[in-house]
Amino acid sequence: MSVNRCVSLFSRLQRHISSQAARSPVSTRSGSSVRQHQAAVVVCSRGVSSNSSSPKPPDTSLFVPVSLKAESSADGSVGAELTQPLDKNELLKVVNRFYKRKEMQKLAADHGLDARLFHQAFISFRKQVLEMTSLPADLHIVLSDICCGAGHIDDIYPYFMRHAKQIFPMLDCMDDLRKISDLRVPANWYPEARAIQRKVVFHAGPTNSGKTYHAIQRYLAAKSGVYCGPLKLLAHEIFEKSNSAGVPCDLVTGEERTFVDVDGRASGHVACTIEMCSVTTPYEVAVIDEIQMIRDLSRGWAWTRALLGLCAEEIHVCGEPAAIDFIKELMYTTGEEVEVHTYQRLTPFAILDHALESLDNLRPGDCIVCFSKNDIYSISRQIEARGLECAVIYGSLPPGTKLSQAKKFNDPDDPCKILVATDAIGMGLNLSIKRIIFNTLVKPNVNEKGEKQMETISTSQALQIAGRAGRFSSKFKEGEVTTMHRDDLPVLKEILSHSVDPIETAGLHPTAEQIEMFAYHLPDATLSNLVDIFVSLSQVDGMYFVCNIDDFKFLADMIQHIPLNLRSRYVFCTAPINKKQPFVCTSFLKFARQFSRDEPLTFDWVCRHISWPLPPPKNIKDLVHLEAVHDVLDLYLWLSYRFMDMFPDTAFIRQIQQELDDIIQQGVRNITRLIRATDTNVTDPLQTQQNSRSGHIGSANNSGRTVSNYSTGGRGLRGQRSSGMDSSLASRLVRDGLLTPDLLQQLQKEWSKEQGLMSKEKQHPHIKPKDI
């Protein structure tokens, strides 16, 4: 090799080493420096008190390695020219020896590589070392020295860490990520609110105690105000009440903006759903309704944001007395005192000593509360089979349909005197109910881990529902509460005898800005992965918790393959959709794909997608689909206020949504006919056999088949048996998740086949079963 060539090689090598040294976590000069660092780590660790607080370790299972291409080094074959080509077999032995070094594992752990990450990083590093046609010159020389016995095995560490930080970029910015996800002082997120001294008034009392009424009176008397409610129906009610009282008020929900000023100028008052309240607009008075929902596992963050962030001279919160102490404690962190006004229930309600037991015992003003639509369908069918009319209200109905059904039930001139509803009646509707009847006391709930499970309703939930019996403004001044089944009644009495558990924590949720800062440091991570890492690293004090983000992640994973910028992706994933509806999820996906192409979602495009116009429903399946289509139109309207240029036809969409609401209302009015027309794919042979023995048909259609597939939840606790309305074992197994509908259908086919064989055997006793 010529002198000039050697000088050139050494010059290139020197420049390369100098540039890499600055990025290496530990000096690359020799193994001794690594061992000195190890000693320093040990000394430092001994000097740290065991009582010192340290941030929680991250959940490294969330760290997804970045894929690196095994490309040749820019140095070409400099390393090989300066030393010699490397023997792959010897190289494999060297790197495997490095992996087994306990000292290296400990040193890597000190730099954020726990056992899981260390193993993943090593596998990637080994693959790179063995598969690259030419290694970086400095790494090649170090490996060559070790293979020749002239270097120490520990000298690999800086190069291993350099590779580890390439595939796990979060290791290099963990301190920054921890600062971004520090949620311990959320009050500081709202400087405008902290700049004023707010007066906080808590209106505490049970359902129908007038607490919200008193807060609204102050709201109407103010020069400007904002009402924040949990439901669109409540926001609509205050919107109408305010304008009727001569106080101009606008309406803001996720899907709707209504300005009373003809020129579109904002009024001094606004009624909104709580997620939509502005924390930068100044008001004289703000009302936050149902403050106890601050602990809701999914939506609690919205109440926390409103309480800490609203810029109002007076904050009036309404809710259960169980939240008083916590709200006082929360406001102590902002330096604001809480004035408490307590109210007693205006009309009493009594727990009866007898259960309903039979639908024959229904009276005008009764409301049967179920926790599933299937039970609604079953019971409403049985009620109308007795010649009675009933109204139906459940959560997935459009607001217009709910109001229409409520009006029908409340109208003294309407023959409809019975209401069948889910706990959707707990808030947002004024109903003239005399007696609340719990069809069951078990309700599906989502726990802190996002898992669905069946649980007995809480005291708070029971009181919220039972409190709808008897209303000060209705003809029923005293309410009554009971259960459908005798065995449930003592359980209900026990539930209602307890005091409501005190509120102890408030929900928080990562903001778009926080996720954007995370993405700056981790540009290769998916949105779902970013949120997971955020929650894993987040620090909250004992007063707060991070809300469940499973729905957000579900949508993020669904559209991950669609090219969207981070802010648009985040907004799409905060859309309030029902992920249980396949048609809604499919529409969400198509909306995101069309948006990513920068193609506006026009009225014609939407009509083609939903097959508009839609015919009236012929059965329950059609009705459920129409409800899903209504949700899709809601999704369009929700997105239109975030991306106005891409969702331009809101007026046309709102028009057909109103037409669809009318179609759904007509369907709900004829719900019994729809149930009768529905093909009952799941017929319970056990129920049929039992009914034929007892002579009790219960709910049968014209062909004599039981529509037990619509009844899935009419049981109480401790496995007690329900009445004839829902004594189907198969239905209960499906409801509890122990049997799938497909498996049930297969079992029914086998049952029918066996019944047929037994029948033939009786008719032809001389023929063996195997011959049939």
Side-chain angles (χ1 to χ4, degrees):
M1 184 184 299
S2 67
V3 174
N4 289 339
R5 175 63 172 158
C6 284
V7 171
S8 176
L9 286 171
F10 276 112
S11 177
R12 288 166 58 193
L13 176 61
Q14 187 176 16
R15 287 197 304 270
H16 178 79
I17 291 176
S18 298
S19 65
Q20 294 297 325
R23 285 184 284 174
S24 297
V26 184
S27 173
T28 62
R29 292 178 183 173
S30 67
S32 62
S33 62
V34 177
R35 289 187 286 278
Q36 288 170 3
H37 179 79
Q38 288 176 304
V41 169
V42 172
V43 170
C44 290
S45 65
R46 288 175 182 167
V48 175
S49 170
S50 60
N51 295 327
S52 63
S53 61
S54 58
K56 64 179 180 179
D59 181 0
T60 56
S61 65
L62 303 173
F63 291 4
V64 180
V66 176
S67 299
L68 299 178
K69 295 181 180 179
E71 298 175 347
S72 299
S73 169
D75 299 327
S77 57
V78 173
E81 293 183 32
L82 288 175
T83 56
Q84 60 185 4
L86 296 171
D87 185 321
K88 297 294 184 182
N89 292 327
E90 284 299 316
L91 206 53
L92 179 60
K93 293 177 183 178
V94 167
V95 293
N96 283 342
R97 278 169 50 208
F98 169 80
Y99 177 71
K100 295 176 182 178
R101 290 269 295 162
K102 298 296 182 184
E103 295 83 357
M104 293 298 96
Q105 295 179 20
K106 184 181 184 308
L107 190 58
D110 292 336
H111 283 94
L113 282 179
D114 63 6
R116 178 200 301 270
L117 297 186
F118 182 83
H119 178 74
Q120 287 182 282
F122 171 75
I123 295 299
S124 177
F125 177 72
R126 182 175 64 183
K127 181 180 180 182
Q128 183 194 48
V129 166
L130 296 178
E131 293 183 0
M132 283 184 68
T133 54
S134 60
L135 294 171
D138 51 352
L139 177 58
H140 185 108
I141 293 172
V142 168
L143 291 173
S144 178
D145 287 348
I146 296 172
C147 290
C148 297
H152 194 281
I153 193 73
D154 291 358
D155 291 346
I156 297 176
Y157 178 77
Y159 305 97
F160 166 75
M161 280 303 297
R162 183 172 69 196
H163 180 82
K165 289 186 176 183
Q166 286 178 318
I167 65 170
F168 294 117
M170 62 283 297
L171 296 174
D172 243 351
C173 55
M174 194 62 69
D175 289 342
D176 289 332
L177 296 180
R178 288 190 188 279
K179 290 177 183 176
I180 297 168
S181 57
D182 189 339
L183 308 179
R184 286 176 292 187
V185 194
N188 291 347
W189 302 351
Y190 309 103
E192 292 93 342
R194 301 291 76 78
I196 60 177
Q197 187 64 30
R198 307 180 307 171
K199 177 183 178 182
V200 181
V201 181
F202 194 124
H203 300 268
T207 305
N208 196 20
S209 61
K211 57 184 183 297
T212 305
Y213 169 81
H214 286 89
I216 293 301
Q217 292 308 302
R218 178 67 188 94
Y219 163 85
L220 294 175
K223 295 177 181 177
S224 62
V226 58
Y227 167 84
C228 309
L231 301 172
K232 287 184 282 187
L233 283 175
L234 282 172
H236 271 275
E237 181 182 337
I238 301 303
F239 165 73
E240 292 173 355
K241 182 178 294 185
S242 182
N243 285 299
S244 298
V247 179
C249 176
D250 297 335
L251 176 69
V252 177
T253 70
E255 302 81 17
E256 188 175 358
R257 308 285 189 279
T258 302
F259 297 96
V260 293
D261 184 89
V262 292
D263 296 324
R265 287 189 294 267
S267 300
H269 289 69
V270 60
C272 64
T273 45
I274 193 156
E275 286 87 353
M276 300 306 299
C277 70
S278 168
V279 292
T280 56
T281 305
Y283 299 102
E284 182 182 346
V285 170
V287 177
I288 304 174
D289 210 354
E290 306 294 350
I291 190 62
Q292 68 274 3
M293 290 191 70
I294 199 169
R295 68 173 167 190
D296 186 84
L297 294 178
S298 299
R299 297 178 65 201
W301 63 269
W303 276 262
T304 305
R305 173 178 172 270
L307 184 60
L308 296 178
L310 281 170
C311 298
E313 298 170 25
E314 293 181 27
I315 307 287
H316 291 255
V317 296
C318 309
E320 296 175 356
I324 293 175
D325 290 341
F326 178 72
I327 298 304
K328 284 183 175 180
E329 186 180 358
L330 204 60
M331 292 297 95
Y332 180 79
T333 65
T334 66
E336 296 163 334
E337 295 183 1
V338 179
E339 177 184 312
V340 179
H341 298 174
T342 56
Y343 304 87
Q344 300 301 317
R345 186 174 166 83
L346 297 173
T347 56
F349 72 82
I351 307 173
L352 301 181
D353 291 326
H354 55 274
L356 187 72
E357 297 196 84
S358 171
L359 295 179
D360 295 329
N361 298 324
L362 286 172
R363 301 195 303 256
D366 278 350
C367 172
I368 302 176
V369 176
C370 309
F371 295 118
S372 78
K373 280 201 294 185
N374 288 337
D375 286 346
I376 295 250
Y377 297 152
S378 174
I379 290 175
S380 60
R381 168 81 187 277
Q382 295 175 66
I383 290 172
E384 297 207 4
R386 288 165 166 77
L388 302 173
E389 284 193 37
C390 67
V392 173
I393 296 175
Y394 50 87
S396 60
L397 286 177
T401 305
K402 289 178 187 172
L403 290 171
S404 172
Q405 290 291 295
K407 183 178 179 181
K408 177 182 178 183
F409 174 70
N410 288 337
D411 187 354
D413 298 325
D414 195 292
C416 171
K417 301 301 179 187
I418 308 296
L419 176 63
V420 184
T422 63
D423 53 339
I425 65 164
M427 307 176 194
L429 289 170
N430 293 318
L431 298 163
S432 298
I433 298 172
K434 170 64 174 176
R435 181 170 57 169
I436 288 285
I437 303 158
F438 285 88
N439 185 54
T440 177
L441 298 176
V442 179
K443 177 185 177 182
N445 276 326
V446 177
N447 62 21
E448 294 179 0
K449 297 180 181 178
E451 302 165 337
K452 188 175 180 180
Q453 55 190 23
M454 301 299 293
E455 289 183 345
T456 306
I457 59 174
S458 66
T459 300
S460 176
Q461 291 169 328
L463 284 171
Q464 189 78 38
I465 298 168
R468 308 300 289 182
R471 189 170 182 84
F472 182 72
S473 59
S474 75
K475 64 180 180 180
F476 300 117
K477 302 304 180 185
E478 295 184 3
E480 297 173 345
V481 181
T482 187
T483 59
M484 178 67 73
H485 310 293
R486 186 185 307 171
D487 292 341
D488 283 344
L489 190 54
V491 180
L492 176 64
K493 289 182 177 180
E494 182 182 354
I495 292 171
L496 292 175
S497 69
H498 295 304
S499 58
V500 178
D501 293 336
I503 310 280
E504 296 178 339
T505 52
L508 295 173
H509 193 282
T511 65
E513 291 76 17
Q514 289 167 328
I515 297 302
E516 281 181 336
M517 286 190 282
F518 251 57
Y520 172 78
H521 291 289
L522 305 175
D524 296 310
T526 66
L527 178 56
S528 179
N529 192 222
L530 283 174
V531 175
D532 270 336
I533 296 173
F534 184 97
V535 173
S536 170
L537 293 176
S538 64
Q539 300 177 70
V540 295
D541 68 20
M543 298 177 67
Y544 299 98
F545 66 92
V546 180
C547 286
N548 188 291
I549 54 170
D550 285 351
D551 288 350
F552 183 96
K553 287 171 54 185
F554 174 83
L555 298 180
D557 289 334
M558 189 191 302
I559 62 172
Q560 180 54 43
H561 66 287
I562 298 176
L564 295 168
N565 64 60
L566 183 68
R567 179 56 72 106
S568 297
R569 190 181 300 277
Y570 181 93
V571 171
F572 264 84
C573 294
T574 56
I577 75 167
N578 183 359
K579 66 180 184 181
K580 298 176 184 178
Q581 287 278 10
F583 183 72
V584 177
C585 292
T586 301
S587 303
F588 174 79
L589 197 60
K590 289 184 177 180
F591 281 14
R593 190 175 291 120
Q594 182 82 349
F595 181 92
S596 72
R597 299 187 188 118
D598 204 25
E599 298 176 5
L601 286 83
T602 63
F603 175 72
D604 290 339
W605 186 92
V606 173
C607 287
R608 287 195 300 272
H609 170 64
I610 65 174
S611 302
W612 185 263
L614 291 164
K618 297 179 180 178
N619 51 46
I620 288 296
K621 184 178 179 182
D622 289 348
L623 180 62
V624 170
H625 177 68
L626 292 181
E627 293 168 9
V629 173
H630 194 280
D631 286 348
V632 169
L633 299 181
D634 260 351
L635 174 62
Y636 182 99
L637 295 171
W638 190 91
L639 289 167
S640 72
Y641 289 109
R642 280 83 182 165
F643 308 105
M644 294 184 181
D645 56 334
M646 297 298 291
F647 297 83
D649 294 336
T650 55
F652 294 119
I653 295 297
R654 201 175 297 282
Q655 182 179 341
I656 65 170
Q657 189 182 45
Q658 182 58 56
E659 294 177 31
L660 178 59
D661 199 334
D662 294 339
I663 296 172
I664 293 174
Q665 287 184 39
Q666 186 63 36
V668 172
R669 282 195 289 270
N670 298 320
I671 196 165
T672 300
R673 180 178 58 77
L674 300 184
I675 295 171
R676 192 182 301 118
T678 300
D679 180 18
T680 55
N681 294 320
V682 182
T683 306
D684 183 3
L686 298 177
Q687 176 72 49
T688 305
Q689 185 185 42
Q690 186 181 50
N691 286 342
S692 63
R693 285 202 306 265
S694 64
H696 176 69
I697 303 302
S699 141
N701 59 17
N702 292 336
S703 62
R705 293 192 302 171
T706 304
V707 290
S708 58
N709 58 309
Y710 292 119
S711 180
T712 58
R715 294 186 70 222
L717 307 176
R718 306 188 185 98
Q720 70 260 28
R721 184 177 171 186
S722 61
S723 68
M725 281 179 292
D726 185 22
S727 56
S728 163
L729 173 62
S731 296
R732 297 201 303 269
L733 290 174
V734 172
R735 179 200 68 192
D736 295 338
L738 302 175
L739 195 63
T740 66
D742 290 340
L743 184 56
L744 178 59
Q745 203 166 5
Q746 184 178 346
L747 288 172
Q748 286 161 353
K749 289 179 181 177
E750 294 178 10
W751 172 277
S752 299
K753 185 176 180 182
E754 289 178 10
Q755 291 291 92
L757 292 174
M758 291 173 62
S759 176
K760 290 184 179 180
E761 187 178 358
K762 288 179 181 179
Q763 294 175 6
H764 308 281
H766 60 284
I767 300 178
K768 301 294 182 184
K770 64 180 180 181
D771 298 328
I772 297 177

